[in-house]
Amino acid sequence: MPLHHFIFSFLTLAFCPTSSVAAAASKEQTLNTQDAEFFNPKLPPRTLSSSKRFEGSSNLVDLRYHMGPVLSSSPINIYLIWYGRWSLSQKLLIKDFITSISPSATPSPSPSVSEWWKTVSLYTDQTGANVSRTLVVAREHSDARYSHGYHLTRLSVQQVIATAVKAAPFPVDHRNGIYLILTSHDVTVQDFCRAVCGFHYFTFPSMVGYTMPYAWIGNSGKQCPEVCAYPFAVPGYMGGGGPRALLPPNGDVGLDGMISVIAHELAELTTNPLVNAWYAGEDPTAPTEIGDLCEGLYGTGGGGGYIGQVIRDRKGRTYNMNGNKGRKFLVQWIWSPALKACAGPNALD
């Protein structure tokens, strides 16, 4: 959902980075390990800064279940739509993150993406069924010809889905499916960078022919990395002074920034696919969801300009989770219904 107080012409759930409101640590903290070190960097505030997050304040968070479905059928099928021009290496990075979510016979070292998703799987529906722990990339569709142009509106994003379904690469998957639209760095999208970095909702039958949950995330690398790829880019007004941006774990500011937004949207889409399941607040047009509550927090001790204890490897690259094929990612924490607090697998307490 929007992490800022925006109400759009139709319901939509969106993500964009904002500042934390938790108490700040008194100084940068480090903990040396054999191959890397834990550290808690203080960074300049984000460009967009009206946060709904109440990290660590369970008495202020009224996250409730509203009797709607969660995505409990296994596996959850991800239908990827690559809109615009994407390189093979970019596609592989994003797919490696998605496949890292599911349990594996050869699990990634802890802290891992799969361990992070365990918190998402704690959410249940009214029958007691948990969100599935298994996500798979079921099919892919490349729209390298920009069939709906270089600028998309919120409605034309749904038309992109309709094109993919009608072109027959995708089935209509009401029960298990998530349609994930990813736009390349040269595609502008309504409210992108100004108000959102991604959003999720469900398709309108009048637009697509069916009601199906979907999410959109854009590559901000060329348009607004300081907004949507933070903390791998910092606001330009910092100039040469103040804290520097962190080095991305996979060497691509835009893509590494997208990973955390994709994680945010997948967590919220699976726990609130029809905007009537898990969220805080009384207004379903502007709900606060499990990612919103922990936005900007990546480790223990986050808040007040600190992102929390994360890991820095020998090359200076920053991450907090391990994935498949030796990949490393920096992914925001999410709200745990068990702890009634933000949680992540790299927690130090």
Side-chain angles (χ1 to χ4, degrees):
M1 62 97 18
L3 299 187
H4 309 285
H5 302 274
F6 292 94
I7 299 179
F8 302 101
S9 57
F10 61 86
L11 301 182
T12 188
L13 309 181
F15 168 83
C16 71
T18 59
S19 62
S20 169
V21 297
S26 60
K27 61 181 179 179
E28 179 178 290
Q29 305 168 5
T30 62
L31 175 63
N32 291 324
T33 63
Q34 194 171 32
D35 298 316
E37 65 175 2
F38 286 90
F39 78 121
N40 188 357
K42 181 163 182 153
L43 297 170
R46 292 167 176 80
T47 303
L48 304 177
S49 59
S50 64
S51 180
K52 288 186 177 181
R53 188 170 71 77
F54 302 97
E55 184 269 319
S57 303
S58 58
N59 61 319
L60 296 178
V61 175
D62 185 24
L63 183 72
R64 291 185 293 121
Y65 177 55
H66 297 264
M67 304 307 289
V70 301
L71 296 186
S72 58
S73 297
S74 189
I76 297 172
N77 294 319
I78 306 293
Y79 299 96
L80 279 171
I81 300 175
W82 305 99
Y83 191 86
R85 293 188 177 92
W86 293 87
S87 69
L88 177 61
S89 62
Q90 289 177 322
K91 291 181 178 181
L92 289 176
L93 175 58
I94 290 175
K95 288 191 290 184
D96 283 346
F97 171 74
I98 293 172
T99 58
S100 296
I101 291 174
S102 302
S104 170
T106 55
S108 304
S110 184
S112 70
V113 176
S114 181
E115 291 170 337
W116 173 83
W117 191 261
K118 281 183 180 179
T119 300
V120 181
S121 70
L122 295 176
Y123 289 88
T124 63
D125 63 16
Q126 57 187 309
T127 70
N130 295 78
V131 170
S132 173
R133 289 206 58 200
T134 304
L135 283 75
V136 299
V137 177
R139 293 191 187 180
E140 300 175 60
H141 173 64
S142 293
D143 194 337
R145 296 186 176 182
Y146 304 84
S147 64
H148 293 274
Y150 287 83
H151 175 75
L152 300 177
T153 65
R154 291 172 179 271
L155 289 179
S156 62
V157 165
Q158 295 199 28
Q159 292 172 341
V160 171
I161 302 173
T163 297
V165 171
K166 291 174 183 176
F170 289 169
V172 175
D173 192 345
H174 299 277
R175 185 173 177 82
N176 293 48
I178 288 177
Y179 297 80
L180 189 60
I181 303 93
L182 306 176
T183 50
S184 56
H185 67 85
D186 54 347
V187 177
T188 60
V189 178
Q190 180 183 356
D191 297 316
F192 186 31
C193 296
R194 184 184 67 82
V196 298
C197 302
F199 60 78
H200 76 86
Y201 199 56
F202 52 83
T203 60
F204 302 149
S206 60
M207 297 293 295
V208 181
Y210 309 91
T211 299
M212 303 180 295
Y214 76 94
W216 159 80
I217 299 95
N219 183 346
S220 67
K222 300 292 185 181
Q223 298 184 50
C224 57
E226 73 284 355
V227 176
C228 295
Y230 186 97
F232 303 128
V234 296
Y237 64 79
M238 291 300 297
R244 297 180 179 178
L246 303 181
L247 291 181
N250 299 286
D252 188 321
V253 169
L255 265 288
D256 278 302
M258 278 187 83
I259 294 295
S260 192
V261 185
I262 290 171
H264 178 115
E265 297 302 337
L266 288 177
E268 295 185 342
L269 189 52
T270 53
T271 56
N272 195 29
L274 299 181
V275 205
N276 60 359
W278 288 97
Y279 64 87
E282 298 300 324
D283 184 0
T285 68
T288 301
E289 298 173 278
I290 69 170
D292 304 324
L293 292 167
C294 304
E295 176 277 320
L297 184 69
Y298 299 85
T300 302
Y306 292 85
I307 69 170
Q309 291 275 2
V310 293
I311 307 168
R312 179 167 54 196
D313 68 15
R314 290 177 177 176
K315 295 183 178 180
R317 296 171 298 194
T318 306
Y319 65 99
N320 64 350
M321 298 178 200
N322 295 293
N324 292 347
K325 303 178 183 178
R327 296 282 199 186
K328 301 181 187 304
F329 304 103
L330 186 69
V331 177
Q332 71 150 90
W333 281 13
I334 51 177
W335 188 263
S336 166
L339 299 176
K340 296 193 183 329
C342 297
N346 58 314
L348 299 178
D349 51 13

